[in-house]
């Protein structure tokens, strides 16, 4: 009778991310708040949204990514922001959506 064979796994697996975390692309900040960019789906998202705070206050939704007919919809509290700030925020959101986290931004 031979000794039992003991096998040890050598491959580490990633723990499952919290639900919804796989949709988050990253964040950017101005001098007041941090904004999180979240895709509408894991594969071929047609839109993304930008939110801030624990209550996930919707700042901006960009739709039409797959069709090329882009449309920006601003949340109610953000429509009155200056045009310069909205252009900056929209540019930062696209950068995060396509490239991930932005460490430092001045807005």
């Amino acid at each position: 009778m031979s000794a039992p064979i003991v096998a040890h796994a050598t491959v580490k697996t990633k723990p499952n991310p919290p639900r919804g975390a796989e949709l988050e692309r990253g964040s950017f900040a101005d001098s007041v708040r941090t904004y999180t960019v979240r895709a509408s789906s894991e594969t071929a998202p047609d839109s993304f949204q930008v939110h801030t705070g624990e209550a996930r206050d919707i700042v901006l939704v960009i739709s039409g990514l797959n069709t090329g007919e882009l449309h920006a919809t601003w949340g109610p509290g953000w429509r009155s922001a200056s045009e310069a700030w909205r252009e900056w925020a929209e540019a930062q959101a696209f950068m995060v959506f396509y490239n991930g986290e932005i460490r430092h931004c001045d807005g």
Side-chain angles (χ1 to χ4, degrees):
M1 198 147 125
S2 61
I5 298 173
V6 178
H8 297 281
T10 58
V11 177
K12 292 184 179 182
T13 59
K14 285 182 167 180
N16 291 332
R19 185 181 169 141
E22 63 277 0
L23 299 178
E24 289 190 4
R25 296 292 179 101
S27 61
F28 63 96
D30 60 15
S31 59
V32 179
R33 294 176 187 83
T34 298
Y35 306 90
T36 302
V37 178
R38 181 179 170 92
S40 62
S41 68
E42 287 184 59
T43 55
D46 189 49
S47 66
F48 66 83
Q49 66 178 236
V50 179
H51 62 85
T52 187
E54 289 185 26
R56 295 192 178 208
D57 178 27
I58 300 294
V59 176
L60 170 66
V61 176
I62 300 288
S63 57
L65 298 174
N66 292 334
T67 63
E69 295 180 27
L70 298 175
H71 181 73
T73 304
W74 290 92
W78 302 92
R79 292 180 191 132
S80 61
S82 72
E83 186 174 340
W85 185 88
R86 286 185 291 137
E87 287 176 4
W88 172 84
E90 192 172 325
Q92 297 305 304
F94 271 100
M95 292 261 280
V96 169
F97 179 76
Y98 288 111
N99 302 314
E101 196 83 16
I102 297 177
R103 299 265 179 221
H104 175 72
C105 295
D106 295 320

